[in-house]
Amino acid sequence: MTTALITGSTAGIGAAFARRLAADGHNLVLVARDTERLAEQATELHDRHGIEAEVLTADLATDDGIETVARRLSDRRNPVDLLINNAGFGNKGRYLEVSMADELTMLKVHCEAVLRLTSAATAAMRERGRGGVVNVASVAAFVPRGTYGASKAWVVQFTQGAARDLAGTGVRLMALAPGFVRTEFHQRAGMDTENIPNWMWLDADKLVAAALADLARGKSLSIPDPRYKALMGVVKVAPRGLLGGITSKTGRKYGPQ
């Protein structure tokens, strides 16, 4: 039985990964900041699916939190076969309206934590000749939209570059780039989502199923919905200046900075 470690496991896409992987028979290491919520999730998944669910409380906005998870990923006696780097958040506001402390915290979670945890996991996986990493990015990575989009663009570029460097080792890396997903994400950031068209919303469980299928196919980038694949096709050919104006306006209204 294999083991998957999921950061940000108690809500949204992370919780959907936990449900699906537990149903498929994987043992889990559940990582988040809220110990009580983690314990409830672990108990539920154990009772429902008969898997082992380990709880690991860590704040990935801190060095200690990152190091705690990195040590678990480096444990050769209890190996992790699949890492889901899902933890993340959004700040509401335009550039210079968000405090520098909040900007740096976002980069810590979205970039530094992803780099350090991916490195810890893949070093151990390469020794065993097998393993996988899914780094959750966003379609915001492909449009000019502030710090959030820039941090997710880093996730995509880093993941695809590392996937090429580790080709042939048995270790797979994939960046997952979803669009709007019905989770707690926007609510926690204080973002108004009432005017987002229904067709733009994705279901977290279906997204995870598509993402795992793409990982199995060896893809290094997953945009797990035909609607968003079509939109990203338009993005590729749209004039950069026009695209920047549109995404700036819609991003301030609907999404993270």
Side-chain angles (χ1 to χ4, degrees):
M1 185 175 289
T2 59
T3 298
L5 186 148
I6 307 166
T7 69
S9 70
T10 55
I13 294 173
F17 268 110
R19 289 191 297 271
R20 172 58 187 267
L21 291 169
D24 287 348
H26 298 272
N27 290 328
L28 300 176
V29 182
L30 305 171
V31 180
R33 294 177 295 175
D34 189 328
T35 303
E36 182 177 352
R37 198 170 177 183
L38 280 170
E40 292 174 356
Q41 182 186 33
T43 299
E44 178 184 354
L45 293 172
H46 169 75
D47 292 348
R48 178 171 297 181
H49 301 291
I51 55 92
E52 296 300 319
E54 176 184 343
V55 167
L56 189 59
T57 305
D59 182 354
L60 297 182
T62 68
D63 284 326
D64 287 345
I66 296 172
E67 184 57 34
T68 295
V69 182
R71 282 197 301 269
R72 178 62 185 85
L73 290 166
S74 300
D75 187 347
R76 269 57 172 180
R77 294 171 299 177
N78 299 292
V80 171
D81 305 279
L82 176 63
L83 167 63
I84 310 293
N85 270 319
N86 167 73
F89 65 94
N91 290 320
K92 184 180 180 181
R94 289 186 264 187
Y95 175 60
L96 295 183
E97 293 178 351
V98 177
S99 72
M100 184 56 63
D102 288 343
E103 296 277 39
L104 291 173
T105 298
M106 176 178 287
L107 295 179
K108 186 89 170 180
V109 175
H110 289 183
C111 300
E112 182 180 341
V114 168
L115 170 63
R116 291 169 63 180
L117 299 187
T118 300
S119 298
T122 54
M125 291 172 182
R126 184 171 60 177
E127 291 176 5
R128 299 193 302 274
R130 66 182 186 279
V133 177
V134 176
N135 291 329
V136 178
S138 168
V139 292
F142 307 111
V143 295
R145 186 62 207 130
T147 308
Y148 181 84
S151 69
K152 293 303 187 179
W154 183 91
V155 171
V156 171
Q157 292 295 320
F158 162 68
T159 303
Q160 291 195 292
R164 286 192 291 272
D165 288 344
L166 291 175
T169 66
V171 182
R172 295 179 177 180
L173 289 90
M174 186 183 79
L176 171 60
F180 288 106
V181 185
R182 293 198 182 279
T183 69
E184 299 176 7
F185 179 92
H186 296 90
Q187 182 181 359
R188 286 185 310 199
M191 300 169 189
D192 181 14
T193 60
E194 291 183 0
N195 294 323
I196 298 176
N198 284 333
W199 67 266
M200 294 187 72
W201 287 105
L202 304 178
D203 176 80
D205 293 310
K206 292 179 180 179
L207 182 152
V208 164
L212 291 174
D214 282 345
L215 180 66
R217 295 186 187 104
K219 290 188 175 183
S220 64
L221 175 64
S222 173
I223 302 175
D225 187 88
R227 292 164 289 181
Y228 279 97
K229 288 177 182 177
L231 283 174
M232 292 306 101
V234 173
V235 164
K236 288 181 180 180
V237 299
R240 201 68 176 170
L242 174 62
L243 185 63
I246 293 172
T247 58
S248 179
K249 181 179 179 181
T250 57
R252 287 196 299 273
K253 186 173 183 180
Y254 299 135
Q257 102 172 88

